Amino acid sequence: MFDIKIVNGTIVDGTGEARFKGDVGITGDKITAIGDLSNAEANQTINAEGKFVSPGFIDFHTHSDLSLVYDRYTRSRIYSGVTMDVVANCGIGVAPIREERKQELIDYLGTRIIGTIPAKLELPWNTMEEYFNYLDANTPAVNVVGYVAHGPVRIDEMGFSKEKATPQQLKNMKAEVRKAMEAGCVALSSGLVYLPGAYTTKEELAELCKELIPYNGYYISHIRDEGDEEMDALDEAIYIAKTAGVPLHISHLKIMGHSNFGKIDEVIAKLDAAEAEGLEITFDCYPYAAGMTSLGALLPPWAFEGGVENMIQRLSVQENRERIVKELKDGIPGWQCFYRMAGGWDGVVLASVMTEKNKYVEGKKLSEVAKINEEDPFDTFFRLLIEEKSKIQVVVFTQGQEDTDKVVCHPKTCFGSDSMDLSTEGLLSIGKPHPRAFGTFGRIFAHYVREKGLLTFEEAVKKMTYLSAKRLGIVNERGLLKENYFADITIFDPEVIADKATYDDPKQYTVGVDYVIVNGKIALADGKQTDICAGRVIKNPSRFGKKNG
């Protein structure tokens, strides 16, 4: 007897092959049968007539490290059909961190998407192993896969120093990477437009990446520039991976800046050339032409040296302000300037703030807020950073739609929302976030499959499931609808599934997802979330240092 039987559905199994009619039987946390199960008994039967039955979607690029701690229900994911979040992206993570450096890390996380939570941030752990143990004891609604983030590795050892690591410091950081991989992380992530990544050399990163080899790990990077100097940034990423001897994954592949629209083919050609020379390369993206970052990310790297408090003090000095204005307008060689990429303050929309007095700015362009207050926009920029202690997020309109479409449809692309789990109510309903937190997966089906016809349902599902699981190294047990695989399953209406979230009204759940099953337990039933949180930490199968074959 099955615990759950899904009948009368159309199976889209994640392989990319044609859909087919069939039933799915679940026993415990595994798929135990696929086929004609009409005569089999089950404790619960789900009628999927007219619906597609697929593997649960994998959100390949998230910043949910803390949001799934503060709200286990991961509502924006479950309503989207997502059964797995991948955390610690862009070199931003919650461990490893020693006690004496912990406040530095907490202050910094508060300035990034990961820490946009209106509560006192706490890190009741010091290592990735302890973080995973915390999640195992406080299970979220979705499964979690983790990277070891370069940021905390370096902050743990060097704080926010811009100096080159000494041989002993590098040795210590390599040891921390090894410990995190042994705890179950699958890769090392970096964010070289953020701190302390911006202070880090390619040679240092290559040395750290060498520690990934025994664990089948890969290097995943938010590269140093995604605009005018993207080709150089890609060369750096390729150098790091090649030197270390590990695969390369590029986070949220794109090209930014109005003057660069139409150049994504050149970016992809460079990656193809590197792969032709023997480097394994993959990438992910979100299906929107605007991105999201922190307002503080618009500051040049020197402004952040020494951490958040030092940065805020610098912004009070007129000489520093004048220097920053000049560098934002003119740019700095080797530094990606979001201000320039967005075409100025009209392309920067304030998404969330922490203080009540500034709530009125949410959803407005920075240029609009400047007009309201009869200020120079740069003065508004500095004032908000100081008043919010840099805990302010922005949506930046930096990408061309045609370029975005090409990346979405590329056969190597898997999908990530580049967001943290959010909700329409409670603690995680803050601000006017980027719609990708609620709409990424629904948008793929509504816009790219049904409306534009650029992807088939089979292709879209493969990108959301098998392709992601393969890169994560867990494709032997998840990412497909297959007997003996874990029962992470999404049932959706192919004619209805769609994103509702918009830039003006982003806090709207995706519609058309009827059931979500995580490890054999029903997290969403008849389009309504249940109280069940059956997610697990999915650890690197090669964490014991054995090759996967």
Side-chain angles (χ1 to χ4, degrees):
M1 178 182 283
F2 298 116
D3 292 317
I4 301 172
K5 184 172 69 167
I6 304 168
V7 299
N8 302 323
T10 298
I11 294 175
V12 183
D13 65 5
T15 62
E17 298 299 319
R19 67 195 79 163
F20 58 93
K21 295 288 288 185
D23 306 328
V24 179
I26 299 169
T27 308
D29 59 2
K30 294 287 184 71
I31 298 169
T32 48
I34 298 176
D36 182 359
L37 307 179
S38 54
N39 295 324
E41 293 185 355
N43 291 324
Q44 181 173 358
T45 299
I46 298 172
N47 185 2
E49 183 74 41
K51 309 295 168 61
F52 283 2
V53 183
S54 79
F57 308 147
I58 297 172
D59 195 331
F60 195 86
H61 185 113
T62 86
H63 294 284
S64 299
D65 313 50
L66 288 173
S67 60
L68 50 78
V69 169
Y70 283 83
D71 185 346
R72 299 165 53 211
Y73 291 99
T74 64
R75 289 175 175 86
S76 59
R77 302 291 191 253
I78 292 297
Y79 279 100
S80 295
V82 169
T83 60
M84 186 184 300
D85 266 10
V86 184
V87 302
N89 279 281
C90 298
I92 302 169
V94 297
I97 193 69
R98 65 188 71 185
E99 281 299 322
E100 55 266 37
R101 294 278 194 193
K102 191 173 279 188
Q103 194 57 49
E104 279 184 87
L105 178 59
I106 289 172
D107 289 345
Y108 180 67
L109 295 178
T111 71
R112 303 297 167 204
I113 292 174
I114 185 176
T116 310
I117 299 171
K120 184 182 183 206
L121 296 185
E122 296 180 331
L123 305 179
W125 51 74
N126 298 96
T127 66
M128 285 304 291
E129 181 178 19
E130 290 169 356
Y131 173 64
F132 289 156
N133 289 342
Y134 184 96
L135 293 181
D136 282 334
N138 301 273
T139 53
V142 296
N143 296 313
V144 180
V145 173
Y147 298 137
V148 51
H150 167 253
V153 169
R154 200 175 205 267
I155 293 167
D156 177 68
E157 183 63 30
M158 300 177 62
F160 283 92
S161 169
K162 68 177 182 180
E163 300 305 316
K164 181 179 177 182
T166 66
Q168 185 59 50
Q169 287 171 328
L170 185 57
K171 181 180 178 181
N172 294 343
M173 288 190 283
K174 285 164 73 80
E176 291 299 333
V177 171
R178 278 198 307 277
K179 283 194 283 186
M181 295 301 289
E182 288 167 0
C185 294
V186 300
L188 174 72
S189 80
S190 72
L192 304 186
V193 298
Y194 302 127
L195 285 305
Y199 302 145
T200 308
T201 65
K202 62 184 180 181
E203 291 80 12
E204 177 182 314
L205 286 162
E207 281 301 308
L208 295 179
C209 283
K210 289 176 183 178
E211 301 304 319
L212 308 175
I213 294 172
Y215 312 100
N216 281 349
Y218 55 95
Y219 174 56
I220 175 169
S221 183
H222 179 155
I223 57 176
R224 204 175 293 272
D225 194 295
E226 296 172 313
D228 294 341
E229 298 181 32
E230 180 159 0
M231 294 304 178
D232 291 339
L234 288 171
D235 283 336
E236 178 183 48
I238 291 165
Y239 168 89
I240 291 164
K242 273 188 173 181
T243 302
V246 298
L248 172 64
H249 184 98
I250 303 295
S251 293
H252 38 60
L253 184 67
K254 65 172 83 76
I255 188 160
M256 297 197 304
H258 294 232
S259 64
N260 295 315
F261 286 4
K263 294 182 180 179
I264 196 66
D265 289 338
E266 297 172 32
V267 171
I268 293 172
K270 178 175 280 290
L271 296 176
D272 287 344
E275 188 157 54
E277 294 176 357
L279 180 62
E280 183 183 345
I281 297 179
T282 50
F283 37 85
D284 62 73
C285 78
Y286 47 82
Y288 296 86
M292 187 175 183
T293 189
S294 65
L295 190 62
L298 277 68
L299 290 168
W302 62 265
F304 249 106
E305 188 180 352
V308 177
E309 286 302 321
N310 287 344
M311 179 270 287
I312 291 170
Q313 290 175 17
R314 288 189 185 100
L315 297 187
S316 300
V317 178
Q318 185 60 31
E319 183 180 343
N320 291 335
R321 288 189 179 211
E322 291 171 1
R323 176 182 172 186
I324 291 168
V325 170
K326 184 178 190 307
E327 290 172 347
L328 287 182
K329 289 180 176 179
D330 299 342
I332 304 173
W335 172 59
Q336 175 183 286
C337 179
F338 279 110
Y339 168 79
R340 288 161 58 88
M341 294 297 101
W345 296 122
D346 281 344
V348 179
V349 176
L350 300 159
S352 65
V353 296
M354 289 296 168
T355 68
E356 199 59 41
K357 74 172 184 177
N358 285 327
K359 286 290 180 186
Y360 76 97
V361 310
E362 292 179 343
K364 292 183 175 65
K365 296 175 183 177
L366 191 141
S367 56
E368 289 180 73
V369 176
K371 286 181 182 177
I372 290 170
N373 290 283
E374 299 180 345
E375 291 177 305
D376 181 273
F378 287 98
D379 289 335
T380 303
F381 171 57
F382 296 129
R383 177 176 61 78
L384 289 174
L385 283 171
I386 293 169
E387 290 178 356
E388 297 295 325
K389 297 183 178 177
S390 195
K391 295 179 180 180
I392 182 168
Q393 301 301 308
V394 294
V395 173
V396 285
F397 290 83
T398 58
Q399 298 143 242
Q401 190 60 57
E402 186 177 334
D403 290 338
T404 301
D405 292 349
K406 285 182 178 180
V407 178
V408 166
C409 298
H410 194 284
K412 285 185 176 294
T413 305
C414 46
F415 301 130
S417 67
D418 197 4
S419 70
M420 67 177 186
D421 303 310
L422 292 176
S423 176
T424 58
E425 58 187 35
L427 190 68
L428 298 184
S429 63
I430 183 172
K432 274 201 169 183
H434 194 299
R436 65 192 183 189
F438 291 86
T440 288
F441 293 86
R443 180 170 172 78
I444 294 294
F445 291 118
H447 188 63
Y448 288 94
V449 178
R450 287 203 309 270
E451 183 183 329
K452 287 196 167 186
L454 295 175
L455 292 172
T456 65
F457 277 104
E458 288 85 351
E459 289 168 339
V461 168
K462 180 180 179 180
K463 287 168 166 290
M464 296 174 183
T465 59
Y466 171 79
L467 207 61
S468 297
K470 183 181 179 185
R471 175 65 286 168
L472 295 169
I474 57 173
V475 77
N476 291 330
E477 57 185 18
R478 297 180 192 268
L480 293 172
L481 278 191
K482 189 174 179 180
E483 290 183 12
N484 297 319
Y485 272 50
F486 285 96
D488 296 336
I489 298 174
T490 295
I491 302 172
F492 64 95
D493 189 326
E495 299 302 318
V496 176
I497 190 168
D499 56 318
K500 303 298 286 183
T502 64
Y503 291 106
D504 290 333
D505 190 6
K507 288 183 286 194
Q508 300 185 77
Y509 295 125
T510 288
V511 296
V513 178
D514 293 277
Y515 280 83
V516 175
I517 298 171
V518 181
N519 295 311
K521 303 295 184 184
I522 297 175
L524 188 81
D526 290 321
K528 300 293 182 185
Q529 187 163 6
T530 70
D531 290 330
I532 294 173
C533 292
R536 298 174 184 171
V537 176
I538 311 302
K539 296 179 180 177
N540 185 348
S542 298
R543 64 187 177 279
F544 304 112
K546 297 175 182 177
K547 286 282 182 179
N548 257 354

